[in-house]
């Protein structure tokens, strides 16, 4: 899903803001067959109007030529041409002729009741209360959520690991001061802090990442500091000092790599927290704005209508869960890959 | 009639890399009221043996492939878990190696002591407490009635081991299994614990299986000895015959490689001087090297180091290191711990100063203060005529090349994430030794060769090496900067005697070849005696006696020194003969 999200604009069947008010809160289905258009003999003009209505309702139209019609590329020059219209509902493809009278079914001439099924791509995951395709919104929302998840987490990772490593390594008074600073930040109400940050800086999505990252690093720095304090007791650190290796190099080469295990685990736990934080901020009007969506937002919206339209909760929820599972496995894999003790030979 | 009969016990570990036959068909008997010593180096299977008896082998990967252990009519290997639980802890009790980690730090001693009594339904709470206090007194803890309510951290290592013994004996077991109970302790504390075990054993008539890597401990304690090597018993017999007439070359090597106060070896014999290992069809065959004695004799033909007493490399005078006891962030320090309290000594170039004392006497802090790893509070440290006390990191940088340190724990003194090559090349890169990567790698390979390791090991990580090999790597790393002076801080204390001998020989050899000056810190006087020219005895942050090592051993003027010397386990045949009677 994550991978799909990245290329969302190219695969999404509808635009993320596309609405169809007639199709509000439709449950998921693979194809759409109640919306049929009856095209008996009709004028091109009538067909176009019909198709426009229908096209609007169904988003995109499968049949290339009907789509072309909609976009006004079929005109008088195409009179006399025939085209095949596929009928997904069982009957074989039918040939119709485009004439000045409009579409005329050829195979069953005179049959007023010939149906032209304008097949639409169905709403695979249903639509929301505003008639927007959930699948599309999930894809687009994934872009925001993943970006927030990864960017904000890496911001918090960078600050947290460096801060924690420095505090733990230097210890004593430096450590005390740095950790009290962390305590102060912990004590600040988080929303106020983020509001402050988004107000001071321009409100855009990048600043949102920064703001969330700037809050999330606190716990990370504590974890790292704890690790470093135990590592500091290890004799190889002392040996490094005795060998005259500069402090920064010791921190970078000897300390940080050795506390990666818990850091990676905590990182994979941070990502979902960050995604939900983003939803919360968006709700307050500080994050992404509708009609743009994110997984967090979708879940929150879905949870409000869980009883009536469960799919609005279930699908975003399972997508998020699946993503987090994958991240956890990725984290485990990374930790093992980085751990030289699990031998590679 | 033996109280415990182990027959053909096989415990194998099925790992990814194949089957490890940790214990491969061993048989021995434990006679009632006797002490059986199982001796062997790490990896010989001695711990796995007793863990198998107690049902403590992790399964998988471990599996007991066969054999039996008969204890009072039931087979410990095959009996039902419920039956085993009724025996374990009640009729067969166990003491573990590390007293620091084998007590639960969150529970009072009293709770932990009475727990076995309550679990096995041997006593009610009130009665159990009384019994626990009596037991604590028996293991030599004064004011037991009050101290029983303390937490483990309020006890020192030796005291904790006493508590562990009390805990094991409180259910009045018939068999006590002690798995290296003194290895983590100072020599002096070890001597006390051994004496205590001996007394308790005589007093309570309990049968003891005592596991150790140190034959000296066996000599002090055991009635019968089982020598294990690579999962097999290579020799067993009563203690006198093992020490008087060892049959197997491995036993001979193990006996010879202990540094002794009375011996005059310049190079310690090692097990490999006696033992030939040949692999024939996947089976290791052990045989004796025919000319072992002559070979060891020839090893002793090394020239003595020429030492010019006036060429002082290091002069320490009035050195003090005080640690403030901090109460809180803003409050002033409560007081100071005087770790090192005004000590002075000199070390001539090319010689070794031995620094001995019990843990907490300040010997380790002294070593660190000389290298400016902890800041000296007062006093002067002159290195090659230059005053270096209190230098900061930048000022120390050029000196780091010239003075190095080797630590006690070879497991924590190598960064697990760096290959051996990286570990050796990094200090060279920092100090600009070697023009480029390839040159540094060649140097690293040469260093490995010098400490007796294969240059192929360069690309491996520390976890792939044994403790002794790691310590060699640490030595190589210290040598990578070509220092003149090395502080060896308990550098061999964590090792088996057989490995210890090899590392000691290596250090001596390097000293001769590179004209190195050592400060050799240890709690074990026999090791210091082997290494040191001069020696200083420390107690409570002060040096109470110093001078020529030989003389101090011959005529210790302080009672404390006397005590340290007496604490060394005696293993002479005449002593054992006298003890066994």
């Amino acid at each position: 899903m994550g991978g799909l999200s990245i290329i969302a604009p190219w695969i999404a069947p509808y635009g993320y803001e596309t609405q169809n008010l007639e199709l509000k809160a439709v449950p998921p289905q693979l194809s759409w067959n109640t919306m049929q258009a009856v095209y008996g003999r009709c004028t091109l003009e009538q067909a176009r109007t019909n198709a426009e209505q229908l096209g609007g309702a169904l988003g995109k139209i499968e049949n290339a030529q009907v789509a072309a019609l909609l976009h006004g590329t079929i005109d008088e020059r195409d009179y006399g041409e025939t085209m095949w219209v596929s009928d997904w509902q069982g009957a074989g493809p039918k040939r119709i002729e485009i004439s000045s009278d409009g579409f005329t079914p050829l195979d069953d001439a005179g049959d007023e009741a010939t149906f032209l099924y304008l097949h639409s791509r169905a709403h695979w995951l249903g639509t929301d209360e505003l008639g927007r395709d959930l699948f599309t919104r999930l894809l687009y929302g994934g872009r925001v959520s993943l970006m927030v998840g990864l960017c904000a987490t890496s911001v918090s990772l960078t600050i947290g690991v460096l801060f924690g490593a420095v505090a733990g390594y230097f210890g004593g008074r430096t450590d005390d001061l740095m950790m009290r600073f962390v305590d102060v930040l912990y004590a600040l109400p988080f929303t106020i802090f983020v509001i402050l940050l988004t107000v001071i800086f321009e409100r855009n999505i990048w600043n949102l990442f920064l703001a969330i990252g700037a809050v999330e690093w606190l716990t990370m720095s504590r974890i790292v500091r704890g690790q470093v304090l135990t590592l500091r007791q290890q004799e190889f650190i002392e040996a490094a000092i005795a060998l005259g290796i500069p402090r920064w190099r010791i921190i970078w080469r000897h300390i940080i790599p050795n506390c990666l295990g818990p850091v990676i685990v905590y990182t994979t736990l941070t990502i979902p927290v960050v995604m939900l934080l983003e939803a919360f901020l968006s709700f307050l009007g500080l994050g992404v704005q509708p009609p743009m969506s994110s997984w967090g937002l979708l879940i929150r919206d879905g949870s409000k209508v869980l009883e009536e339209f469960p799919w609005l909760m279930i699908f975003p929820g399972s997508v998020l869960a699946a993503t987090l599972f994958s991240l956890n496995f990725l984290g485990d894999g990374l930790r093992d890959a980085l751990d030289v003790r699990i031998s590679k030979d | 009639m033996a109280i415990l009969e182990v027959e053909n016990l096989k415990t194998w570990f099925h790992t990814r890399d194949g089957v490890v036959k940790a214990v491969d068909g061993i048989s021995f008997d434990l006679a009632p009221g006797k002490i059986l010593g199982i001796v062997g180096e790490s990896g010989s299977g001695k711990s796995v043996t007793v863990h198998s008896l107690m049902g403590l082998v992790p399964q998988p990967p471990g599996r007991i492939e066969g054999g039996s252990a008969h204890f009072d009519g039931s087979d410990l290997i095959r009996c039902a878990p419920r039956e085993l639980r009724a025996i374990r802890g009640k009729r067969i009790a166990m003491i573990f190696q590390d007293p620091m980690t084998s007590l639960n730090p969150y529970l009072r001693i009293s709770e932990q002591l009475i727990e076995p009594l309550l679990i096995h339904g041997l006593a009610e709470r009130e009665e159990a407490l009384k019994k626990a206090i009596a037991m604590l007194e028996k293991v030599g803890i004064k004011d037991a009635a009050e101290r029983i309510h303390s937490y483990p951290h309020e006890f020192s290592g030796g005291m904790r081991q006493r508590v562990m013994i009390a805990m094991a004996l409180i259910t009045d077991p018939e068999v006590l299994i002690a798995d290296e109970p003194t290895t983590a302790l100072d020599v002096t504390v070890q001597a006390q614990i051994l004496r205590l075990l001996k007394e308790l054993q005589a007093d309570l008539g309990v049968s003891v299986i005592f596991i150790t890597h140190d034959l000296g401990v066996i000599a002090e304690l055991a009635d019968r000895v089982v020598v294990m090597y690579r999962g097999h018993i290579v020799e067993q017999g009563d203690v006198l015959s093992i020490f008087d007439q060892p049959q197997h070359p491995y036993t001979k090597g193990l006996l010879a490689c202990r540094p002794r106060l009375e011996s005059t070896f310049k190079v310690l014999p090692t097990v490999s001087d006696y033992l030939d290992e040949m692999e024939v069809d996947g089976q290791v065959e052990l045989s004796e090297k025919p000319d072992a004695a002559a070979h060891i004799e020839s090893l002793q033909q090394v020239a003595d180091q020429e030492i010019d007493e006036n060429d002082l490399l290091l002069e320490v005078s009035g050195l003090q290191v005080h640690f403030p006891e901090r109460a809180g962030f803003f409050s002033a320090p409560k007081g100071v711990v005087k770790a090192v309290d005004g000590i002075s000594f000199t070390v001539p170039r090319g010689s070794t100063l031995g620094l001995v004392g019990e843990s907490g006497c300040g010997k380790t802090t002294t070593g660190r203060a000389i290298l400016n790893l902890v800041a000296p509070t007062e006093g002067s440290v002159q290195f090659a005529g230059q005053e270096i006390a209190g230098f900061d990191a930048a000022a120390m940088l050029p000196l780091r090349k010239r003075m190095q340190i080797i630590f006690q724990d070879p497991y924590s003194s190598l960064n697990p994430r760096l290959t051996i090559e990286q570990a050796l090349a990094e200090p060279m890169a920092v100090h600009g030794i070697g023009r480029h990567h390839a040159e540094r790698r060649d140097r690293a390979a040469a260093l490995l060769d010098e400490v007796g390791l294969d240059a192929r090991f360069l690309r491996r990580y520390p976890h792939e090496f044994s403790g002794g090999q790691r310590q060699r790597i640490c030595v190589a790393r210290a040598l990578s900067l070509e220092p003149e002076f090395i502080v060896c801080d308990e550098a061999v204390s964590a090792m088996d005697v057989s490995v210890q001998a090899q590392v000691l020989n290596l250090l001596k050899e390097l000293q001769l070849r590179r004209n190195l000056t050592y400060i050799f810190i240890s709690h074990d006087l026999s090791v210091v005696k082997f290494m040191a020219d001069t020696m200083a005895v420390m107690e409570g942050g002060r040096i109470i006696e110093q001078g020529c090592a030989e003389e101090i051993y011959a005529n210790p003027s302080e009672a404390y020194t006397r005590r340290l010397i007496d604490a060394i386990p005696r293993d002479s045949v005449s002593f054992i003969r006298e003890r066994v009677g």
Side-chain angles (χ1 to χ4, degrees), chain A residues 235, chain B residues 40-42 46 97 180 182-184 190 212-215 254 257-259 406-411 413 466-475 489-507 520 522-524 527:
Chain A
E235 285 172 343
Chain B
E41 57 199 59
S42 32
K46 55 194 194 302
Q97 173 169 3
E180 304 241 14
T182 59
T183 305
Q190 165 174 300
T212 178
H213 66 90
D214 187 355
L215 270 171
L254 212 53
C257 70
R258 288 193 72 231
I406 300 167
F407 295 96
Q408 169 171 12
D409 182 4
Y411 289 90
S413 49
S466 69
Q469 287 175 320
R470 285 181 195 217
Q471 198 62 302
R472 284 169 191 265
I473 295 166
C474 291
V475 173
D489 185 5
E490 302 267 14
V492 295
S493 304
M495 289 175 187
D496 282 359
V497 273
S498 48
V499 182
Q500 172 182 301
Q502 298 167 11
V503 175
L504 287 176
N505 284 343
L506 171 69
L507 287 173
F520 196 89
S522 179
H523 64 86
D524 187 345
V527 172

Side-chain angles (χ1 to χ4, degrees), chain B residues 326-345:
Chain B
R326 286 183 60 198
F329 187 64
F330 292 108
S331 45
K334 275 194 298 191
V336 289
V337 178
K338 296 180 176 176
V340 178
D341 196 17
I343 62 171
S344 310
F345 56 83

Side-chain angles (χ1 to χ4, degrees), chain B residues 30 34-40 46 50 95 165 175-183 190 193-195 197-198 207-214 216-226:
Chain B
L30 174 64
K34 295 287 180 190
I35 301 181
L36 173 76
I38 302 183
V39 67
K46 55 194 194 302
V50 291
I95 315 171
I165 294 172
V175 175
L176 175 69
I177 297 176
D179 188 1
E180 304 241 14
T182 59
T183 305
Q190 165 174 300
I193 296 287
L194 290 182
R195 204 176 314 126
L197 273 175
K198 228 182 322 185
S207 318
V208 179
I209 298 180
F210 193 98
I211 297 176
T212 178
H213 66 90
D214 187 355
V217 174
I218 295 281
E220 286 266 343
L221 201 65
D223 300 304
R224 206 178 155 74
V225 186
V226 166

Side-chain angles (χ1 to χ4, degrees), chain B residues 376-517:
Chain B
T377 315
E378 218 163 290
S380 97
V381 177
Q382 291 205 348
F383 180 76
Q386 187 184 3
E387 175 63 47
I388 61 166
F391 270 20
D392 61 11
M396 274 309 285
L397 190 58
L399 285 162
R400 295 281 182 224
K401 264 170 85 168
R402 303 176 61 187
M403 42 203 318
Q404 273 306 312
I405 182 164
I406 300 167
F407 295 96
Q408 169 171 12
D409 182 4
Y411 289 90
S412 80
S413 49
L414 288 170
N415 183 344
R417 286 178 187 268
L418 294 187
T419 62
I420 304 312
E421 181 184 338
Q422 288 169 320
L424 294 179
E426 185 182 26
M428 293 192 235
V430 166
H431 288 276
I433 299 174
R435 280 186 305 278
H436 43 73
H437 201 73
E439 189 179 332
R440 285 195 284 271
R441 185 171 55 225
D442 291 345
R443 277 170 171 269
L447 282 170
L448 277 193
D449 187 49
E450 190 166 357
V451 296
L453 292 176
D454 201 311
R456 281 180 325 200
F457 292 161
L458 277 180
R459 316 194 67 174
R460 299 211 186 156
Y461 287 95
H463 69 271
E464 296 170 61
F465 295 94
S466 69
Q469 287 175 320
R470 285 181 195 217
Q471 198 62 302
R472 284 169 191 265
I473 295 166
C474 291
V475 173
R477 183 179 59 186
L479 290 177
S480 68
L481 298 178
E482 311 203 327
E484 300 147 56
F485 170 73
I486 298 179
V487 173
C488 305
D489 185 5
E490 302 267 14
V492 295
S493 304
M495 289 175 187
D496 282 359
V497 273
S498 48
V499 182
Q500 172 182 301
Q502 298 167 11
V503 175
L504 287 176
N505 284 343
L506 171 69
L507 287 173
K508 266 217 153 168
E509 189 191 324
L510 290 171
Q511 179 170 41
L512 269 178
R513 195 184 309 148
R514 291 177 170 241
N515 195 25
L516 292 169
T517 310

